[in-house]
Amino acid sequence: MNKSKVFPYPFVQAPSANFSTAKSIALSDSIEGWGSTKLDNKDDTNPNNNNATLKPKSKEAIKLSIKCCLSFSFSIAIILSIVSITAVWITSFAITISDLSNRNRALAFGEINLFTIKFLEGVTQISEVAQSLMITNYNISDTDKIIKDMVYLYKSILDYQSTSVVTVYIGDMKGNCLGIMNVDNSPSLFQMWEGTGNPYNETWLTTCQDIHHNEGCVRSSKPDVINPRFNMTPLVELGKNNPGNAAWTQSYIDISMPDVIFMSMITSVKRVNESVSFYFGYDLSAISISKFLKEKLSGTSTTGFLLETSTDYIIASNQFSSYAFSTKDINGNIDRKTGITFGDPATKRTTEFLFQSYKSFREIECGKTIHKENGLEYVSFHRLCDKHGIDWVMVLVTPTWVYLGGMIISLIVAVGCSILIVILGVTISLIISIRISTPINDLVELFESVGKMELENLTITSSSFKEINDLHTNFSNMVKYIKLYRGFIPSHILAHLEEESATSKELKKSKHSMKRTFDNASFAGSVASVKSKFSLHLEEKKVSMVGIFIDGFWDWCSDLDPMDIIELLNEIYIEVNKVAKQYFGQLGVFDNGLIPISWNTATDTLSHEERAVKAAYQLKLKLKSIELNWTSINSRTKLYIAATSQEILCGNVGTEEVKNFTIIGNLNQNIHNLIEFGKRLNVPLLITDPLFEKIKTLHNVRLIGFQDIPYLGQVNNNELNFKELNKVYQLGEPKKVEMDEWMYELQKIEKLSSWKTYNEACNYLLNYQFSEALELFNQYLEECKTEDFPTFQFIDYCKNV
């Protein structure tokens, strides 16, 4: 590979004679002890390994802060005390409160039961009084007397059952009927009696005027409403089946009032040695029971309702104003609601619960009250039966918390007081723990900053604890030494630490951290694994390098004081370091006037060729003023920049205790050869063919010669073969034209096209059309009006070929 060759052509640069293919380029001085805590998978049980005891455990124990421990201890002590005290008084009062809630529930249920019984007994008493008045010498043919008696009886009932009474009447066994009916809160004569003027098939309703101030029914001679004759057969049959006794009908619905449940008590009149000749009827609604339930249970979450045992229909409910007892479809058919079909969820839920225990309500013993629990509800139910045919089931549903309100309030107050005590205790414990832990936390944050190599602006807060002050003193001394050592830490290690710190901050700052710019995204994707950064290894990679060479550096060394040299190098290093960070390059070691920057070496870097070219061009711009300043000090000082890309071996070599990141190959020598080539042609910025292929659409470039670069291409003989040599280009300005001002844009376009003729000549040269190339090279010299050495060498060759 290092075979000696002779190149007769002036634009072909041969390799240096003292070139070594195995030359190693160390990017940093070795730092003994770096990475003493093992990050690889080596066996640390080796007794010769001094760092084995520092290997972190695979499973770290959970660590608690001092502040957390103190606060937790105080809080637990306070909470346990409160829980203990609360448990004592809850245990003491729980039984009493439970008994009290049971008694309150039984009392409420008893009141409802008593009201219902009294309501039914009142109706029975009215019927019995009416029966006693009619049992002897009552002339059923005297309709005027019947009307007068019914008006009197109706007014008497209004005094204590005004909301329930619907109709009071007397009927015979032929289906005739005569009485007073409540029609829209207005008493009317209910007349269905053959021989009193109305036809047999009609029912007359005539409003009674001012019934409260008249003994009878003062009315018009003509009925107000005429309806078809009512079918009284069921009532007549009920009277016949219960001679001389009172009997209840089953509940029913009037089609004109589907929201009201009606019942009728029929009391037949049977005289001595006579069969039943007539009966007294009392129609009433169950609205009074529903209203009593609503009033009694108002302000609670308790639900009360009555069911008819034989039909399961709803008789009364405290939810009557919210849910209908029946509905009517478009055909006029009435659908009575049972406990399961009733709209109230509590009623439906409780009825289903009762049917789980009883197949039929008739299985419940008459007169017996039963208490059960249905989840979070108390259910009390009682079957009400009497000798007149009443058979109802009365149900009361109470949430368990209704009667535990006192205990709940006590618990809330106790919890509130406990919270206040806990807050006070935690506050005190926090104050104490903060006084103890704050200095330690400050030191932890300072050590974290030091771990990330953020050594500037470290503020140490004084403490009243002597031990903490001693730690502060030792920490300050440590930081001073680390600042001194930081400059000797390998650049790729520092870059890795800075990258981790920046990435962590970005992730905390925004949840959209994946939406980065091109540079940030590629840099994030270029981070190598921790193992590859710190373990001993070598890998073959294609890398890019930019070399900045200070021509005249040795004159500095002979003419200038060492401190002056340091100041001059500091000027260029400031700018070089900025550009290296901007394009994520690794700054190498200064080597006799050469400052190398590499890409894709210690860290994998996407698009490293483009980054190297951009960095080289930026360095040319930024170092121009420094170069002019140096020229005033030494006229022979000039900066040359060369960039190339090739495959090399790189990695960590050495021992586990002392290791260097090293590039093995001829990359550094190739940079030197390129710079020598540029010095001979007076070209300050050069790139090789691999870089040209990546950026030819981005920058204006021109071919200035050929060079034999090992690993990239070889010349196998002394004859010129352009296709086998590696082309060397001069890098010009970017092809992108700024759009700020149109005048500047025109100047820019003109400048970018200045190498057009030259590049056309090179195309002819590469195609061995030397006469055409010579003509265009001469034309270019006339256009540029300057001494251009690359053009001169190509003209000489075209003339002598």
Side-chain angles (χ1 to χ4, degrees), residues 689-709:
D689 197 34
L691 296 181
F692 166 76
E693 294 298 329
K694 296 289 184 180
I695 57 90
K696 59 185 177 183
T697 60
L698 304 176
H699 276 263
N700 195 30
V701 294
R702 67 167 179 165
L703 177 69
I704 62 171
F706 302 87
Q707 184 181 24
D708 181 25
I709 301 178

Side-chain angles (χ1 to χ4, degrees), residues 510-653:
S510 172
K511 65 180 180 180
H512 303 293
S513 58
M514 296 302 293
K515 297 180 180 179
R516 312 287 183 87
T517 61
F518 171 78
D519 287 339
N520 287 338
S522 58
F523 179 56
S526 68
V527 180
S529 66
V530 174
K531 179 177 179 180
S532 66
K533 285 183 171 60
F534 295 100
S535 63
L536 295 175
H537 70 284
L538 280 175
E539 57 180 324
E540 185 176 351
K541 302 178 72 174
K542 185 173 184 180
V543 303
S544 298
M545 178 176 282
V546 172
I548 305 99
F549 182 75
I550 305 173
D551 189 23
F553 174 73
W554 292 110
D555 294 336
W556 290 6
C557 296
S558 59
D559 298 340
L560 300 178
D561 184 79
M563 292 306 299
D564 294 333
I565 296 176
I566 291 176
E567 290 182 4
L568 293 174
L569 289 177
N570 184 58
E571 291 181 13
I572 189 172
Y573 259 103
I574 290 174
E575 297 300 331
V576 171
N577 190 49
K578 289 180 181 178
V579 173
K581 286 187 175 181
Q582 179 181 356
Y583 293 98
F584 306 106
Q586 305 298 325
L587 188 60
V589 178
F590 185 78
D591 181 17
N592 295 328
L594 179 68
I595 304 174
I597 307 174
S598 61
W599 282 263
N600 205 39
T601 51
T603 57
D604 295 333
T605 309
L606 297 176
S607 306
H608 57 88
E609 298 93 342
E610 291 90 335
R611 294 178 187 277
V613 173
K614 291 179 180 179
Y617 182 76
Q618 288 297 319
L619 287 169
K620 175 189 173 185
L621 299 179
K622 292 181 179 296
L623 299 179
K624 188 173 184 179
S625 60
I626 296 177
E627 184 180 13
L628 293 175
N629 183 42
W630 288 354
T631 305
S632 63
I633 299 174
N634 187 330
S635 60
R636 294 188 299 276
T637 301
K638 189 171 183 180
L639 292 177
Y640 290 91
I641 302 174
T644 187
S645 180
Q646 67 180 70
E647 291 187 356
I648 51 89
L649 288 176
C650 63
N652 296 329
V653 297

Side-chain angles (χ1 to χ4, degrees), residues 241-280:
N241 295 332
N242 296 276
N245 295 316
W248 286 99
T249 64
Q250 287 187 343
S251 62
Y252 57 91
I253 292 289
D254 187 343
I255 195 170
S256 62
M257 292 181 288
D259 293 335
V260 181
I261 303 298
F262 294 97
M263 300 170 293
S264 298
M265 172 167 269
I266 302 301
T267 305
S268 61
V269 179
K270 179 178 180 300
R271 295 177 181 147
V272 180
N273 299 324
E274 291 184 9
S275 59
V276 176
S277 56
F278 63 95
Y279 62 89
F280 169 71

Side-chain angles (χ1 to χ4, degrees), residues 213-504:
H213 297 90
N214 296 309
E215 292 186 359
C217 177
V218 179
R219 62 192 183 280
S220 173
S221 59
K222 293 183 180 180
D224 298 324
V225 177
I226 298 177
N227 290 325
R229 186 179 182 87
F230 295 158
N231 181 15
M232 306 303 290
T233 302
L235 302 183
V236 172
E237 292 299 324
L238 183 63
K240 288 181 180 180
N241 295 332
N242 296 276
N245 295 316
W248 286 99
T249 64
Q250 287 187 343
S251 62
Y252 57 91
I253 292 289
D254 187 343
I255 195 170
S256 62
M257 292 181 288
D259 293 335
V260 181
I261 303 298
F262 294 97
M263 300 170 293
S264 298
M265 172 167 269
I266 302 301
T267 305
S268 61
V269 179
K270 179 178 180 300
R271 295 177 181 147
V272 180
N273 299 324
E274 291 184 9
S275 59
V276 176
S277 56
F278 63 95
Y279 62 89
F280 169 71
Y282 182 4
D283 297 345
L284 70 159
S285 71
I287 192 66
S288 294
I289 303 176
S290 295
K291 289 184 176 180
F292 176 79
L293 289 173
K294 183 175 182 180
E295 179 182 354
K296 181 64 181 177
L297 304 178
S298 177
T300 68
S301 298
T302 303
T303 301
F305 59 94
L306 274 72
L307 297 173
E308 194 170 44
T309 304
S310 59
T311 61
D312 298 337
Y313 289 147
I314 286 284
I315 300 297
S317 172
N318 65 326
Q319 303 293 332
F320 72 95
S321 59
S322 301
Y323 304 99
F325 293 130
S326 63
T327 56
K328 183 168 61 174
D329 60 20
I330 58 176
N331 297 322
N333 299 319
I334 298 296
D335 178 24
R336 287 284 303 273
K337 300 298 181 183
T338 64
I340 293 178
T341 61
F342 191 54
D344 177 47
T347 303
K348 179 179 179 180
R349 183 172 59 248
T350 304
T351 305
E352 291 174 346
F353 170 71
L354 292 177
F355 276 125
Q356 291 175 3
S357 303
Y358 305 97
K359 295 181 180 180
S360 171
F361 290 138
R362 289 191 175 91
E363 295 180 5
I364 302 173
E365 185 179 347
C366 284
K368 185 176 182 180
T369 301
I370 303 174
H371 303 282
K372 289 191 175 185
E373 290 189 17
N374 180 21
L376 297 177
E377 294 176 333
Y378 291 122
V379 179
S380 301
F381 54 97
H382 175 85
R383 184 178 177 187
L384 179 62
C385 309
D386 69 2
K387 61 182 181 180
H388 303 296
I390 284 293
D391 192 356
W392 294 345
V393 175
M394 184 167 52
V395 184
L396 189 67
V397 185
T398 308
T400 55
W401 52 264
V402 169
Y403 295 110
L404 300 177
M407 179 177 286
I408 292 174
I409 294 173
S410 300
L411 284 174
I412 292 174
V413 173
V415 170
C417 294
S418 301
I419 292 173
L420 292 177
I421 295 172
V422 170
I423 291 174
L424 181 61
V426 171
T427 302
I428 294 174
S429 66
L430 283 176
I431 294 173
I432 296 174
S433 62
I434 287 173
R435 295 281 296 176
I436 296 174
S437 62
T438 297
I440 299 176
N441 289 333
D442 291 342
L443 274 175
V444 171
E445 293 179 359
L446 292 173
F447 274 107
E448 183 180 0
S449 299
V450 172
K452 296 177 181 178
M453 287 298 165
E454 298 172 358
L455 305 178
E456 305 300 329
N457 302 321
L458 297 178
T459 303
I460 300 177
T461 306
S462 61
S463 173
S464 57
F465 298 102
K466 179 180 180 301
E467 292 80 1
I468 300 298
N469 283 329
D470 292 341
L471 281 174
H472 286 168
T473 302
N474 293 326
F475 177 80
S476 299
N477 293 332
M478 180 190 70
V479 171
K480 290 179 183 178
Y481 285 109
I482 291 178
K483 287 183 178 180
L484 295 177
Y485 298 151
R486 187 180 191 277
F488 297 96
I489 297 176
S491 60
H492 69 283
I493 300 296
L494 290 176
H496 175 65
L497 295 174
E498 292 173 357
E499 168 207 335
E500 286 187 342
S501 178
T503 303
S504 177

